[in-house]
Amino acid sequence: MSEVNNYAAPRSLDEAADILRAGNVTILAGGTDVMPQMKAGKLTLQPTLMNIQRIAELRGIAQAGGVVRIGALTTITEILNSALVRERFNALWQACDHFASDQLRNVATIGGNICNASPAGDTLVPLLALDAKVVLAGKPNGALATRAMPLADFFVGPGRTKRAATELVSAVELPLPPAGSVSEFFKFGTRPALDIAMISIGLGAVLDGKTLRNVRVAFGAVAPTPIRAPQTEAALEGKALVDAAIEAAVTAAACDIHPISDFRASDWYRRELVHNILQRMLVHVRDR
Amino acid sequence: MDAIVKSRADDSLIGKRIPKMDAPEKASGKTRYIQDINIPGQLYAKILRSTEAHAKILSIDTSAAKALRGVHAVITAADVPWQRPIGVAKDHLPLKRDRVRSPRDEIAAVAADSEDIAEAALKLIKVKYERLPTVKNVEDALKAGAPILHDEDLAWTRPDGKTEVLHKRSGDNVAMTFDYAQGDVAQGEADSDVVIEDVFWLHYVTHCCLGVSGVIAEFDAGDNLLLYSNTQVPFLHKREFAEQLGIDPGRIRIIQPPIGGGFGSKLDIYPFEPIAIFLAKATKRPVKLIFTREEEFVASPTRQPVLLKLKSGCRKDGTLTFRTVETLHDNGAYTSWGATTPFVMMQTFSSLYRVANCDYRTRAIYTNNPYAGSFRGYGNLQATFAVEAHMDKLAEAIGMDSLEFRLKNAQHQGETTPQGMQFKSCGFQECLRTAAARSDYQAKQRSNREKWHDKNPIKRGAGIASMLHVGGGAKIYPSDGCGTILKIDDFAHVTLITGASEIGQGSETVLSQLVCEELGLPLSVVTVVNNDTDITPWDVGVHASRTTFIAGNSAIGAARKAKTKIFAAAAEKFERAADSLDLHGGFVIDKNTGDKIIELGKLIRSLHFSDKADLVMTSFYYEPPSAHQDRNFKGDVSAAYAWATQVAEIEIDTQTGIVRLLKVTGAHDVGRVLNRLGIEGQIEGGIVMGQGYALTENLIVEDNVVRNPNFRDYKLVTAPEIPDMDISFIETMDGEGPQGAKGVGEAPAICVAAAVANAIYNATGVRIYALPFTPENVYRALHGQSKAPIWKPLT
Amino acid sequence: MSATVDITFKLNGVERRVAVAAQMSALDMLRDQIGLTGTKYACGEGECGACTIRVDGLTVNSCLMFAVDCDGRDVVTIEGLVTSPIGEALRKSFTKNGAVQCGFCTPGLMVQASHLLEQHPHADRSEIQRGIEGNLCRCTGYKKIVDAIVDAEINAA
């Protein structure tokens, strides 16, 4: 049984960063993945348990210039309740609406979802399709500093990210999509929510008549991390959404994805789903 | 029971919507389930389970565990040389001695001051195994040279010191066989115009009661055992535990706390119960043992998985001619009630629809897999799945409408089946017609078929299936009876002491309802005592949908005896004929005029404080007029039988394989509706359980190990997924049933999967022979990427 | 030696001070340390909702919550809920509508329903079903639970 010797509940990023620098810290935000992972033996609690939920700087959704900043502690419910997200970031909103259950949405944070870095992470796929940047805060040289990187670069492997042990994810930033933008999200499952995605697809683009520009396609649960799909994007970029282009896109998708077989689904089936569902999504975008 | 009491219209409680009596307390969070009960001085127990599927136990070192502070006892088989094998075949030692046969096997157990300490102690126990080759499935088990799993005699040391072999060694892995025959199947086949044969696979699912398993064992100063147990068969268990301990059953008391779900999971003794008792004996302290959810998935019995081969035939006029059935049951490592599901399955094959000739054979085969127990429906889901697939296929082969084909072969009241089942009340025809009419089944069937080759990938299907199940108990034990003790006190307050347990199905409410109907009293005056073997009279247990029927008749019997006494006293007091009296609204009344004669409480007081000085206390033991089956499984095993027909309407997305159950239209022959609210709840819950069996639930057992022992990956149906449900009750007024009622607990779960299978065929033209209909399984079937189950020939 | 943390929080309307082990779950604190057994353990993984409580008005799975995280917060369990008007209304409607069979899922469901009705006082059946998607029931098939919540909604209006 792992022993926690020290419990901290800092109220500022500065304080939190100091605690991280001292080392051997388990970060507690919503905590919805901590207990299950502890039980599964995937996580051992470090001697210091740091509860970051009192850090006000990590909360809130704010728009400044052409960027929307979502604080890392923003819960899934808070995202769902945001008119801004609903109106401008449909794919993210859809993902939150199909996330777990009300009890989990009330507590799970977007920062936690990002740090957990599950290949099937529900919010991660739309964030990728929406060109999200992740912002990290830490005290590398004694002063509080932040750095940002595209979310696509942040994931290293299942459950692994480029976050240093002395850093916290402080926010995720999304550029406001230009006029005419559409974004869609689809998660495959038999339930509306409370399902781990077997495959998930995020789509973001500017729809100019029937032509797509600035296409972003992201897949979940078909690779070690959530991924952008460069070949799929290339097949759609600047193309009118006629049947032939859609066919080309779903064919290209097969090259972008690397699903595995596990007891949830076989790789063959995941490929079939990506093919059929991506096709359906593109037709839906075209015909709306 | 004699003729049905004529209910007094508006005042009658029968058929009304009666809230469950314990609902207010349960809804306040005050109810104490076994997990919530804490006995002063209790210790917490945990079990060390095998990490191997099949291995010799070379050594178990418990020294470090014993030395851990807060640990009071660590036991292994060596500490209980007198432990007695459990289970229907007595092939199962609670603590494994020299061999483990499955990954859940209990090797050691710890009692400690807290759960955390007990868990820590488990980690300190060192076990040395010598691996043995494993048996992964039935095919492996029957190969030449397969490891024989029970190749040694299993003996125990009796209290008198003598050794007794309870399970004889075997030269093969066949645990049990069942053979049944009626008529002449060869002749039946020869008479057929159409013969079809298919192999079906029915998968592993598990009960998933919300309340996990648990037990509290405590010995008192006189070495008498008090067990807090959620058993569904307290009296049978009392006897078994007495045998375990070598003591007089009278020295065991079982108290049943409110249960967090049963569904048949608590009909057998499982190792954790004797283990808790052993720990209580060793420590001389109360011992509480509660499973984790993971343990619940890994160590609880499953529904019996079945590989089933069915050959059926009919004539071109639609008459069924024969059924030949063979099944292979994966018996797992030890034998529990799953092995005896053939008792029920053969009833379905021999008697669901009229068929003169039937040959049935089951082999239950030992493997290193989890073992199956009893689970709502008890083999009938599996059998009905096959029968109803063939009913559709045969109808199609002869070009007959699927409903008409069923109506032609559905039995009528008064028929006796070749197996000896007497259908004294039978609503089968009406169930079929009602469900089909209310769902517009025939029109939908036709219209869906026409769309098979439409471009739209979303298709609709309607499928029909019926079921037959016992509805008046099942005489498989020496007695199928239930005892009641009834007391009416000086204030006309009733205490109803019944042997029948309450497992969430509302038996206490229905029994009170029946008694109050007899006595003309409101439900508010009844207290039910049903959970203490020191107080309650014997009942064989909650299974086979028997409680309303048998405990109901028992309660009515006791109430009628009380009435006789009351009328005798009133007759004498008021100089009237006893048969001119009745009870109504809390009064003794004139039966003909309805005039009130005396308030019941007043009459009872006058009887009590008179020179007669008598109280109103009665008792009654009801044994249903059913018969034990003979050695050929023939006999009228139940006092009544029940039917249901369900039409399942689905929507299927052929591009993903997702099947959505949109609506279930059910018609249930329940004899008579007693508690309308309660019976609706039973049926709705049963349908959703059937939906899970058909579409979402799958206990994945791979290399003997349960791969998804959690709710994340074992999918119960959630609220947004439920179908619309339209339920009709067919009231056939069974002559023997209490107020005409028959049992219904299992029925609603039984034919859902069968109806869904037929619906998938109706939507797509593809018939799937294996459960579950999860999206990938369905998708593969639709796109020619799966194979139908294969029957490997047996030696 | 595991750290013990002193926390102060409001529990069912009353301020409490409790010393909890740092890694203890809120569920274990409520059931084992404080003795409020109405909130149930049924999976320990946030998949079944039997452990649902309200924290600062929102519903959460107490099995996933750390006890220390209750510090400074307003916690309501089923025991507190039933003393409130909405809790009493739900208790009556759950009883009247046959929404209780074994009753094990009932406390979690009632707590979830109380939150649902506050957030969506005019929820239709389909919204109610989504609202309780995180609560598993094995006995009732959910239909009467939805009936009960609709009934409580109508009466509250």
Side-chain angles (χ1 to χ4, degrees):
Chain A
M1 169 102 217
S2 61
E3 297 283 289
V4 171
N5 299 326
N6 180 31
Y7 172 72
R11 289 184 176 272
S12 72
L13 251 184
D14 199 273
E15 212 185 317
D18 278 334
I19 294 168
L20 282 176
R21 278 225 316 202
N24 299 321
V25 179
T26 302
I27 298 173
L28 176 64
T32 57
D33 284 310
V34 178
M35 290 284 192
Q37 286 181 10
M38 267 167 61
K39 283 207 162 89
K42 288 188 194 148
L43 171 72
T44 308
L45 284 184
Q46 296 295 305
T48 298
L49 180 66
M50 179 171 74
N51 183 347
I52 59 170
Q53 292 181 85
R54 311 298 193 268
I55 302 176
E57 299 145 82
L58 297 180
R59 293 199 174 278
I61 301 176
Q63 177 184 339
V67 172
V68 173
R69 179 187 180 278
I70 304 178
L73 283 181
T74 309
T75 64
I76 306 303
T77 293
E78 283 164 355
I79 296 175
L80 265 180
N81 290 338
S82 158
L84 177 61
V85 172
R86 188 172 192 155
E87 282 154 27
R88 305 302 296 272
F89 300 107
N90 180 50
L92 179 60
W93 194 92
Q94 293 292 340
C96 291
D97 191 40
H98 292 88
F99 187 104
S101 64
D102 185 47
Q103 291 95 319
L104 289 164
R105 293 191 282 268
N106 291 336
V107 168
T109 64
I110 195 158
N113 213 220
I114 289 171
C115 290
N116 204 40
S118 162
D122 283 345
T123 62
L124 309 182
V125 164
L127 287 175
L128 285 177
L130 293 165
D131 274 330
K133 275 202 171 75
V134 61
V135 182
L136 298 147
K139 274 182 159 181
N141 303 310
L144 191 62
T146 65
R147 63 180 180 129
M149 72 178 82
L151 190 65
D153 295 342
F154 185 60
F155 302 121
V156 167
R160 295 191 339 265
T161 68
K162 286 189 179 154
R163 180 184 71 85
T166 52
E167 282 180 312
L168 273 182
V169 167
S170 59
V172 63
E173 288 178 345
L174 301 170
L176 263 180
S181 292
V182 296
S183 69
E184 296 287 335
F185 171 77
F186 180 86
K187 174 171 108 178
F188 177 85
T190 52
R191 297 168 166 176
L194 207 65
D195 242 351
I196 294 194
M198 228 180 268
I199 61 128
S200 56
I201 304 178
L203 183 62
V206 176
L207 189 60
D208 175 8
K210 279 202 172 11
T211 301
L212 291 180
R213 297 190 204 290
N214 299 347
V215 178
R216 308 280 185 259
V217 177
F219 292 120
V222 290
T225 69
I227 53 167
R228 286 272 297 272
Q231 300 194 53
T232 316
E233 291 171 0
L236 288 169
E237 185 62 40
K239 304 278 198 311
L241 276 177
V242 294
D243 284 351
I246 292 178
E247 192 50 46
V250 300
T251 305
C255 303
D256 280 327
I257 63 176
H258 314 281
I260 56 167
S261 289
D262 62 15
F263 69 85
R264 291 194 184 109
S266 68
D267 56 350
W268 174 84
Y269 182 58
R270 290 181 209 260
R271 285 184 177 282
E272 294 285 304
L273 285 177
V274 168
H275 178 282
N276 295 345
I277 288 168
L278 181 60
Q279 184 170 61
R280 204 177 268 184
M281 280 172 84
L282 291 169
V283 167
H284 171 72
V285 167
R286 177 187 70 194
D287 295 346
R288 66 202 302 177
Chain B
M1 285 284 125
D2 40 320
I4 289 142
V5 169
K6 191 165 174 225
S7 50
R8 293 174 222 92
D10 291 339
D11 282 288
S12 170
L13 292 169
I14 304 303
K16 297 290 194 300
R17 308 179 77 79
I18 303 192
K20 201 162 179 302
M21 286 158 74
D22 61 4
E25 194 189 91
K26 282 179 170 167
S28 69
K30 291 205 176 81
T31 302
R32 296 212 145 222
Y33 299 83
I34 193 150
Q35 301 86 353
D36 308 321
I37 294 175
N38 294 306
I39 310 292
Q42 76 188 7
L43 298 174
Y44 298 82
K46 288 279 170 191
I47 292 173
L48 181 71
R49 297 183 182 279
S50 167
T51 53
E52 296 294 327
H54 194 203
K56 287 193 189 141
I57 302 175
L58 296 177
S59 67
I60 309 174
D61 180 359
T62 59
S63 51
K66 280 179 175 157
L68 187 65
R69 224 175 86 178
V71 170
H72 291 251
V74 182
I75 58 171
T76 66
D79 297 299
V80 284
W82 39 268
Q83 66 170 331
R84 191 169 191 268
I86 56 177
V88 66
K90 298 285 181 278
D91 55 5
H92 192 177
L93 272 182
L95 279 167
K96 280 48 187 181
R97 209 155 41 203
D98 38 34
R99 193 162 157 195
V100 294
R101 295 177 176 82
S102 76
R104 65 185 17 185
D105 275 20
E106 297 77 2
I107 307 225
V110 172
D113 286 335
S114 74
E115 278 197 355
D116 284 348
I117 296 174
E119 288 276 7
L122 289 187
K123 295 195 171 88
L124 297 175
I125 300 174
K126 302 186 200 31
V127 185
K128 281 211 180 83
Y129 298 99
E130 182 189 303
R131 275 205 183 141
L132 297 169
T134 59
V135 177
K136 294 205 205 303
N137 50 45
V138 167
E139 203 190 324
D140 274 1
L142 295 171
K143 279 190 180 119
I148 304 302
L149 295 180
H150 289 270
D151 56 356
E152 292 154 347
D153 285 347
L154 187 55
W156 77 306
T157 310
R158 290 191 337 209
D160 61 12
K162 294 208 173 77
T163 308
E164 188 185 351
V165 171
L166 287 183
H167 183 86
K168 282 202 157 58
R169 65 169 168 271
S170 178
D172 60 25
N173 283 318
V174 179
M176 275 194 189
T177 61
F178 291 83
D179 285 284
Y180 170 81
Q182 73 191 34
D184 178 349
V185 290
Q187 186 58 54
E189 192 168 342
D191 288 344
S192 307
D193 293 310
V194 174
V195 174
I196 55 176
E197 183 173 86
D198 291 296
V199 180
F200 301 86
W201 166 247
L202 291 315
H203 63 313
Y204 282 104
V205 292
T206 187
H207 303 72
C208 295
C209 303
L210 263 279
V212 292
S213 300
V215 71
I216 303 176
E218 184 181 5
F219 284 91
D220 68 12
D223 257 355
N224 302 305
L225 174 63
L226 170 59
L227 209 60
Y228 293 87
S229 162
N230 278 142
T231 172
Q232 292 174 234
V233 285
F235 293 95
L236 300 187
H237 277 189
K238 200 169 120 132
R239 221 191 72 171
E240 282 228 41
F241 287 127
E243 282 171 337
Q244 268 287 321
L245 296 165
I247 63 177
D248 172 2
R251 294 177 52 207
I252 297 183
R253 178 180 179 195
I254 297 182
I255 291 180
Q256 296 159 274
I259 196 176
F263 314 114
S265 61
K266 291 142 174 84
L267 288 177
D268 201 357
I269 292 186
Y270 307 112
F272 77 90
E273 296 161 297
I275 285 172
I277 296 174
F278 300 157
L279 286 170
K281 209 164 147 79
T283 59
K284 299 194 183 352
R285 300 267 293 265
V287 169
K288 179 174 177 179
L289 200 166
I290 307 287
F291 276 13
T292 63
R293 177 55 60 182
E294 187 183 335
E295 211 168 1
E296 188 76 14
F297 272 105
V298 164
S300 292
T302 68
R303 185 178 288 285
Q304 179 63 59
V306 181
L307 184 68
L308 193 162
K309 181 169 64 156
L310 173 63
K311 190 163 32 160
S312 316
C314 71
R315 288 199 274 271
K316 55 177 182 275
D317 70 354
T319 313
L320 286 172
T321 47
F322 80 103
R323 288 187 187 129
T324 302
V325 189
E326 257 198 270
T327 84
L328 283 170
H329 289 203
D330 187 324
N331 195 58
Y334 306 102
T335 310
S336 181
W337 294 121
T340 59
T341 49
F343 278 119
V344 169
M345 293 176 68
M346 60 176 73
Q347 284 171 28
T348 296
F349 286 111
S350 75
S351 307
L352 175 61
Y353 302 101
R354 190 184 307 109
V355 61
N357 311 299
C358 177
D359 219 65
Y360 175 97
R361 154 172 293 197
T362 283
R363 306 251 137 126
I365 310 294
Y366 284 120
T367 67
N368 295 119
N369 287 327
Y371 57 79
S374 42
F375 189 178
R376 196 177 196 177
Y378 204 87
N380 207 349
L381 284 77
Q382 300 90 315
T384 302
F385 188 85
V387 165
E388 284 292 6
H390 271 204
M391 291 304 281
D392 256 18
K393 281 185 80 163
L394 287 171
E396 191 175 40
I398 61 173
M400 199 176 205
D401 174 85
S402 60
L403 176 67
E404 293 305 321
F405 182 69
R406 287 175 168 83
L407 286 168
K408 185 179 172 67
N409 292 290
Q411 292 99 335
H412 299 263
Q413 180 184 7
E415 288 190 42
T416 298
T417 74
Q419 195 179 5
M421 294 147 75
Q422 297 177 30
F423 294 166
K424 301 179 203 105
S425 70
C426 173
F428 198 178
Q429 294 273 332
E430 226 186 311
C431 284
L432 280 162
R433 288 184 210 283
T434 306
R438 288 184 71 90
S439 61
D440 202 16
Y441 166 72
Q442 284 169 300
K444 284 180 177 156
Q445 260 255 309
R446 278 192 292 271
S447 133
N448 291 332
R449 276 186 84 112
E450 284 159 16
K451 302 198 169 91
W452 280 1
H453 304 292
D454 269 17
K455 275 179 62 185
N456 188 350
I458 314 290
K459 304 210 182 288
R460 295 236 162 157
I464 194 168
S466 300
M467 73 99 225
L468 156 73
H469 204 71
V470 294
K475 195 156 292 189
I476 45 178
Y477 201 70
S479 165
D480 192 16
C482 174
T484 304
I485 299 170
L486 191 74
K487 170 185 100 160
I488 310 178
D489 75 4
D490 291 346
F491 304 97
H493 183 97
V494 178
T495 302
L496 170 61
I497 305 172
T498 173
S501 312
E502 206 285 318
I503 61 165
Q505 86 283 49
S507 65
E508 88 294 355
T509 304
V510 121
L511 295 179
S512 303
Q513 188 183 358
L514 290 167
V515 162
C516 288
E517 184 73 7
E518 290 293 322
L519 299 176
L521 291 168
L523 274 166
S524 53
V525 309
V526 181
T527 301
V528 178
V529 177
N530 58 6
N531 60 351
D532 185 336
T533 57
D534 266 8
I535 300 171
T536 56
W538 197 91
D539 173 59
V540 71
V542 179
H543 61 95
S545 306
R546 64 184 287 281
T547 299
T548 294
F549 192 99
I550 295 176
N553 276 338
S554 179
I556 289 174
R560 286 187 180 168
K561 277 169 109 172
K563 266 165 99 163
T564 304
K565 198 162 188 181
I566 288 164
F567 291 157
E572 192 185 314
K573 193 178 169 76
F574 296 99
E575 289 172 351
R576 291 176 182 246
D579 63 9
S580 72
L581 302 170
D582 204 350
L583 290 174
H584 182 64
F587 280 81
V588 178
I589 63 168
D590 182 303
K591 192 191 264 181
N592 299 311
T593 66
D595 290 341
K596 292 179 182 170
I597 297 171
I598 182 172
E599 197 209 327
L600 181 58
K602 204 162 176 186
L603 175 70
I604 294 176
R605 287 194 294 281
S606 78
L607 178 63
H608 182 189
F609 301 116
S610 68
D611 53 6
K612 289 243 170 24
D614 203 358
L615 300 177
V616 180
M617 306 173 293
T618 64
S619 67
F620 188 78
Y621 186 73
Y622 174 72
E623 179 73 50
S626 44
H628 288 101
Q629 291 176 331
D630 63 22
R631 299 179 56 184
N632 297 313
F633 302 107
K634 297 215 168 126
D636 194 19
V637 72
S638 184
Y641 301 90
W643 287 261
T645 300
Q646 291 172 346
V647 171
E649 291 175 61
I650 61 153
E651 183 181 85
I652 177 169
D653 181 346
T654 57
Q655 285 181 345
T656 62
I658 291 185
V659 175
R660 281 180 47 221
L661 183 59
L662 301 175
K663 186 173 182 189
V664 174
T665 305
H668 282 259
D669 169 14
V670 298
R672 188 164 184 197
V673 172
L674 297 179
N675 182 350
R676 192 168 299 274
L677 192 63
I679 202 173
E680 282 173 2
Q682 280 298 291
I683 290 180
E684 290 159 11
I687 287 174
V688 172
M689 193 171 256
Q691 175 187 9
Y693 184 61
L695 295 176
T696 68
E697 295 178 45
N698 189 16
L699 192 72
I700 302 170
V701 179
E702 217 173 79
D703 293 337
N704 308 120
V705 173
V706 173
R707 297 289 167 194
N708 55 339
N710 54 63
F711 286 136
R712 191 172 51 256
D713 290 309
Y714 182 95
K715 295 196 176 296
L716 292 183
V717 175
T718 59
E721 299 168 82
I722 63 172
D724 286 340
M725 294 186 259
D726 175 286
I727 312 297
S728 301
F729 297 111
I730 310 298
E731 292 188 301
T732 50
M733 298 303 208
D734 187 81
E736 185 63 23
Q739 296 286 351
K742 297 192 277 196
V744 74
E746 293 164 278
I750 287 171
C751 50
V752 180
V756 171
N758 288 340
I760 291 176
Y761 178 77
N762 180 236
T764 62
V766 174
R767 183 162 288 283
I768 309 179
Y769 294 90
L771 282 178
F773 299 140
T774 48
E776 181 164 356
N777 288 346
V778 172
Y779 188 82
R780 283 182 176 273
L782 294 178
H783 293 87
Q785 289 291 321
S786 70
K787 290 186 281 231
I790 298 169
W791 184 268
K792 298 262 165 74
L794 299 181
T795 45
Chain C
M1 194 58 208
S2 168
T4 308
V5 183
D6 282 323
I7 60 171
T8 307
F9 65 106
K10 212 172 185 185
L11 176 58
N12 295 329
V14 175
E15 178 138 306
R16 297 197 63 136
R17 260 194 91 175
V18 189
V20 294
Q23 59 251 42
M24 186 180 229
S25 71
L27 177 65
D28 286 346
M29 173 188 70
L30 290 168
R31 287 180 55 80
D32 300 336
Q33 216 171 316
I34 298 179
L36 290 175
T37 58
T39 308
K40 302 299 180 206
Y41 164 87
C43 80
E45 290 187 310
E47 294 284 335
C48 75
C51 67
T52 305
I53 59 174
R54 290 185 70 166
V55 178
D56 293 339
L58 297 174
T59 47
V60 308
N61 292 315
S62 62
C63 70
L64 295 181
M65 186 179 179
F66 280 79
V68 288
D69 206 12
C70 291
D71 191 34
R73 302 177 80 170
D74 185 350
V75 175
V76 178
T77 66
I78 179 69
E79 290 90 347
L81 177 69
V82 291
T83 65
S84 72
I86 181 71
E88 185 51 29
L90 282 167
R91 196 169 82 108
K92 286 201 170 91
S93 72
F94 267 60
T95 299
K96 177 172 155 238
N97 287 280
V100 181
Q101 288 188 30
C102 86
F104 205 82
C105 71
T106 304
L109 260 159
M110 284 176 57
V111 172
Q112 181 60 24
S114 71
H115 178 55
L116 175 62
L117 290 179
E118 274 170 31
Q119 295 289 303
H120 303 282
H122 307 292
D124 63 24
R125 286 189 79 91
S126 143
E127 285 163 331
I128 290 173
Q129 282 169 260
R130 282 287 326 257
I132 59 171
E133 65 194 340
N135 289 76
L136 295 178
C137 172
R138 196 47 159 160
C139 296
T140 67
Y142 303 102
K143 184 174 180 196
K144 291 190 181 325
I145 293 173
V146 178
D147 290 347
I149 297 173
V150 168
D151 197 10
E153 187 180 78
I154 291 171
N155 288 330

